Amino acid sequence: MKLSSLSLVTSAEERVISRQNDTSAAIDLDRNLIVLFNEWAATVPAAAACIDCRGEVSYGALNEQANQIAHYLISRGVETDVRVGLFFERSGEFLAGMLGILKAGGCYVPLDSQYPDDYVQQIIDDARPLLVLSSRTVGSRLHQPDGEVIYLDDPRIAQCATTDPAVQLHAEQLAYVMYTSGS
């Protein structure tokens, strides 16, 4: 048997790949990521949405935290297409921050906590986010004016409503600004 005749994937994997690559399906642009997330969180609120080194976060809890973040960001001026930096270690906090920014109508700018501080600052200087959402663990590395770094443990966030903010989301608005090593 020739090596070139061997398949690299099983027939079950081929079916999955085929379904994933079927781009002929109609897309309902009103059912964006936030709509889909809210529906799923309402369907399985107790199910694990994220498991990290700090523990497990349910869809219901993640949704409530994201809503509180969104309400707070809106009160700070975040609206459609406004950029918000997201500076966390990979964690449930990153996910809550990302969802909160999107629920506020904003556009997140992921800042990798493993990048050198100078490079992170260069991205911030170029992207010019209105605010940077962070944890105290890594946010203390930023050299931003007071008030521009928002920490998730800020008690003002915890006082915000846990309900979905009344923000009209559109398919055309920005979701994120991504910087890669070649940009």
Side-chain angles (χ1 to χ4, degrees):
M1 176 180 278
K2 290 184 176 182
L3 187 59
S4 62
S5 68
L6 296 175
S7 178
L8 296 177
V9 294
T10 66
S11 59
E13 291 169 330
E14 283 182 23
R15 286 191 300 275
V16 170
I17 292 168
S18 176
R19 275 194 309 255
Q20 294 297 322
N21 288 327
D22 182 9
T23 58
S24 64
I27 297 173
D28 182 357
L29 295 178
D30 292 328
R31 294 177 50 78
N32 59 46
L33 172 68
I34 295 303
V35 169
L36 295 171
F37 176 79
N38 286 341
E39 288 174 1
W40 192 248
T43 303
V44 292
C50 178
I51 300 171
D52 66 14
C53 62
R54 293 177 190 91
E56 182 177 295
V57 179
S58 71
Y59 276 97
L62 181 61
N63 192 36
E64 288 182 0
Q65 185 180 17
N67 288 337
Q68 289 177 309
I69 293 166
H71 283 288
Y72 184 72
L73 292 175
I74 291 166
S75 76
R76 294 293 307 267
V78 174
E79 56 188 25
T80 302
D81 294 343
V82 169
R83 293 173 307 281
V84 178
L86 195 54
F87 190 52
F88 288 96
E89 296 166 325
R90 292 178 189 207
S91 65
E93 291 178 320
F94 178 90
L95 191 54
M98 180 194 73
L99 290 167
I101 292 166
L102 293 174
K103 284 176 173 248
C107 162
Y108 70 94
V109 180
L111 304 164
D112 193 326
S113 64
Q114 295 187 19
Y115 283 159
D117 293 350
D118 289 346
Y119 185 60
V120 170
Q121 192 61 50
Q122 181 182 350
I123 293 171
I124 290 171
D125 292 344
D126 187 63
R128 296 186 317 271
L130 176 67
L131 304 165
V132 176
L133 193 58
S134 187
S135 67
R136 293 195 191 276
T137 309
V138 295
S140 60
R141 294 175 27 206
L142 297 174
H143 305 290
Q144 297 301 105
D146 289 340
E148 290 186 15
V149 177
I150 307 299
Y151 296 110
L152 273 192
D153 65 355
D154 187 318
R156 295 173 291 185
I157 294 174
Q159 294 171 356
C160 291
T162 58
T163 57
D164 280 315
V167 173
Q168 196 72 304
L169 302 174
H170 304 282
E172 303 83 31
Q173 68 192 70
L174 294 175
Y176 58 87
V177 174
M178 187 76 60
Y179 284 79
T180 64
S181 59
S183 62

